[in-house]
Amino acid sequence: MKKYCYGICFLISLAINILFSIHLYVGDGPNQEISCRSSLTWSEKAAAEAEAVAAISCSGHGRAFLDGSISDGQPVCECYGCYSGTDCSELSPGCAADANSGDPIYLEPFWMQNAADTAVVISGWHRMSYEYADDPMMSPELDKYIRKLHSVAGNAITQDRYIVFGVGSSQLLSAAVYALSSQNSSSPSNVLASTPFYHLYKDQTRLFNSKNFVYRGDTNSWQTNNTDVIEFVTSPTNPGGELKKKSVTGGKTIHDHAYFWPQFTPIPGPSDHDLMIFSLSKLTGHAGTRFGWAIIKDKDVYDKVLNYIYLANAGISKDTQLRALKVLKVAMKADGKPFFEFAYNQMSDRWNRLTSVFSKSTRFSIQRRHPLHCNFFHQTRQPSPAYAWVRCERQEDNDCAAVLKAGKIIGQSGSTFSAKDRYARLSLIKSQDDFELLMQRLTELVSLENHNIEIM
């Protein structure tokens, strides 16, 4: 009887193993997306290395990277501001809160939660050519997903429009000026923007020093009958976060929509301008990927922008385009609701806390926000801009950045944005550590004010 039972158990075990092997190596049939006919080979080592580095905690106040420094054969933690030590566990006492840059690390937790779906492992022979099979410089699949993205977000018209990829929005801004500028060097186009504005508009225009265009300053101070004008229209504005629907001058326009996403502003409807520029860095937080795109209506302008990108660097990195594609696929899951809700909740919470602190101050004020109906969320919501535009109210505080610096807060002066230095910009999109320290320093500063203690 015992031998008979053993035999039955052996046959059952053998049958289960055969069925499991068939499922593992043959799969579920022709409709299976990825067949498991063979085990992983060359990618195993790369995946193991990536997992090992990702597992290094750095006390939650930093990160280790595959391309980072190595010490004793191990990757070294790169600590966030004010933290140090081998595992980033040591907080520097009295450290200043750095709210200077627009480094969008606030979305890091979302991408850590979606690590599996956004990981990119590529072979050594991945896209070695300059060109794709169907396009010299741009991935047709990425183009398709960008159009889908705007349809989901409802923030831009892409139908019957051309799309050009660039090295971030920075390169596309200069390419757009080139494409719209006069071809007559004796009468260059006049480049303008409304104060306060992103300083790169002025800096790039002056740097390239072309005979076909020249930077002329603020739109409100421009008084001439010359109609050859190229105007930067930033919406939402940087800083300030205000929506702008039209230009001041009525000339040719470049609509910078880097922050025109549901986490920063309500989306009242799709933008439909001749030339619009967007950036992956402010959408998903992947600033280091350096990827942006322009949506262009006119074929001649499109050709000129494309030619600029080709001459500048023969196109955009194929590795960059692959990562952008992976990230956008995840961002658009469930019609973008999980991603945009997460991003909006992060920014909304920061603004609620920031507003609470500034409401107790008479020395400092921040921009007013006005609720609007958002077509993406289907409800009325407050804007939650990427930056706080701080004004120092006391007459003697004519250098607001210096006042904040004395309170151990590093911001950008108003003159950086061609505004008065009575203003300063504070970034709200850095890491959670950076934001918590900023809130601590602002609370201390307002507390001193309320106790009539001068810090200057």
Side-chain angles (χ1 to χ4, degrees):
M1 181 64 69
K2 239 182 225 185
K3 289 181 180 178
Y4 178 75
C5 289
Y6 286 150
I8 292 294
C9 290
F10 174 76
L11 289 173
I12 291 172
S13 175
L14 184 63
I16 290 172
N17 278 279
I18 290 172
L19 289 172
F20 178 77
S21 298
I22 291 172
H23 175 77
L24 179 63
Y25 292 103
V26 176
D28 296 328
N31 294 326
Q32 186 179 21
E33 185 177 349
I34 299 176
S35 176
C36 298
R37 294 178 186 275
S38 60
S39 61
L40 298 176
T41 54
W42 59 266
S43 65
E44 286 182 336
K45 181 181 178 182
E49 288 177 344
E51 289 274 4
V53 171
I56 301 173
S57 71
C58 300
S59 299
H61 303 300
R63 293 285 175 263
F65 300 99
L66 279 172
D67 59 353
S69 300
I70 302 293
S71 177
D72 297 326
Q74 295 296 322
V76 175
C77 287
E78 297 180 16
C79 303
Y80 294 147
C82 296
Y83 286 91
S84 60
T86 56
D87 63 348
C88 303
S89 61
E90 301 171 16
L91 176 62
S92 304
C95 183
D98 188 352
N100 183 49
S101 75
D103 215 3
I105 311 299
Y106 79 106
L107 286 171
E108 185 182 65
F110 179 86
W111 299 113
M112 293 181 72
Q113 293 169 15
N114 290 273
D117 290 334
T118 53
V120 178
V121 179
I122 61 175
S123 64
W125 59 92
H126 171 76
R127 294 288 182 193
M128 292 177 66
S129 170
Y130 283 113
E131 302 178 355
Y132 290 95
D134 302 323
D135 189 286
M137 296 193 299
M138 295 179 288
S139 161
E141 188 71 4
L142 182 53
D143 179 285
K144 181 179 76 176
Y145 267 89
I146 286 174
R147 294 176 190 273
K148 182 180 177 182
L149 166 70
H150 287 294
S151 176
V152 166
N155 64 343
I157 299 293
T158 61
Q159 187 175 0
D160 300 324
R161 304 290 191 275
Y162 303 97
I163 292 181
V164 182
F165 302 162
V167 182
S169 62
S170 303
Q171 185 184 45
L172 290 164
L173 293 171
S174 59
V177 172
Y178 159 79
L180 295 178
S181 65
S182 167
Q183 301 304 305
N184 184 358
S185 60
S186 63
S187 181
S189 298
N190 303 283
V191 180
L192 304 165
S194 296
T195 302
F197 57 82
Y198 183 37
H199 63 87
L200 207 64
Y201 303 156
K202 174 177 65 176
D203 295 344
Q204 280 192 344
T205 305
R206 287 178 171 174
L207 174 67
F208 293 117
N209 194 28
S210 172
K211 293 180 179 179
N212 294 333
F213 53 82
V214 59
Y215 174 74
R216 293 293 189 187
D218 181 54
T219 53
N220 295 317
S221 62
W222 180 248
Q223 297 178 350
T224 180
N225 293 324
N226 188 328
T227 57
D228 193 358
V229 168
I230 301 172
E231 181 183 345
F232 283 105
V233 180
T234 315
S235 183
T237 57
N238 172 18
E242 297 176 0
L243 288 177
K244 289 190 174 183
K245 294 183 179 180
K246 59 182 182 179
S247 68
V248 174
T249 63
K252 293 171 284 189
T253 57
I254 301 168
H255 284 259
D256 185 350
H257 283 324
Y259 299 92
F260 194 45
W261 299 105
Q263 66 263 44
F264 297 124
T265 184
I267 306 296
S271 184
D272 185 19
H273 299 288
D274 291 347
L275 200 162
M276 303 174 285
I277 295 176
F278 295 85
S279 169
L280 189 72
S281 67
K282 297 308 183 288
L283 166 62
T284 67
H286 292 84
T289 302
R290 305 308 306 133
F291 181 78
W293 61 95
I295 302 173
I296 303 170
K297 186 179 294 187
D298 183 78
K299 178 64 163 59
D300 182 58
V301 174
Y302 162 76
D303 287 337
K304 289 179 180 177
V305 171
L306 197 65
N307 185 54
Y308 182 103
I309 301 298
Y310 178 77
L311 292 176
N313 52 6
I316 310 306
S317 163
K318 304 299 184 289
D319 298 355
T320 289
Q321 294 188 54
L322 174 60
R323 190 182 190 198
L325 177 62
K326 291 281 285 187
V327 165
L328 290 184
K329 284 183 176 181
V330 172
M332 284 187 287
K333 282 186 175 181
D335 286 335
K337 290 295 194 302
F339 170 72
F340 285 118
E341 280 285 6
F342 181 94
Y344 173 79
N345 289 337
Q346 288 283 94
M347 292 305 302
S348 179
D349 176 70
R350 292 187 177 192
W351 266 98
N352 288 339
R353 294 174 61 187
L354 187 79
T355 302
S356 177
V357 172
F358 276 96
S359 68
K360 300 177 177 67
S361 174
T362 57
R363 188 180 189 184
F364 306 100
S365 63
I366 52 177
Q367 71 266 43
R368 292 184 178 181
R369 298 178 297 146
H370 304 286
L372 290 169
H373 182 77
C374 179
N375 286 350
F376 177 80
F377 288 120
H378 303 294
Q379 59 182 264
T380 298
R381 288 190 168 185
Q382 284 269 27
S384 44
Y387 308 103
W389 189 228
V390 182
R391 175 184 165 89
C392 285
E393 299 293 347
R394 292 180 183 175
Q395 186 175 358
E396 63 271 23
D397 292 344
N398 53 18
D399 188 343
C400 200
V403 173
L404 293 171
K405 187 176 182 181
K408 297 181 181 178
I409 299 170
I410 302 171
Q412 283 191 294
S413 62
S415 57
T416 303
F417 306 92
S418 297
K420 295 179 180 178
D421 278 334
R422 186 167 292 281
Y423 291 88
R425 192 192 80 167
L426 299 179
S427 175
L428 306 179
I429 55 177
K430 298 188 71 177
S431 73
Q432 192 64 31
D433 280 346
D434 288 312
F435 181 74
E436 295 298 342
L437 185 57
L438 173 62
M439 290 303 299
Q440 179 184 331
R441 296 294 182 236
L442 285 172
T443 301
E444 291 169 353
L445 196 54
V446 173
S447 178
L448 290 173
E449 170 195 342
N450 291 335
H451 286 86
N452 296 317
I453 300 175
E454 296 291 341
I455 66 166
M456 290 295 288

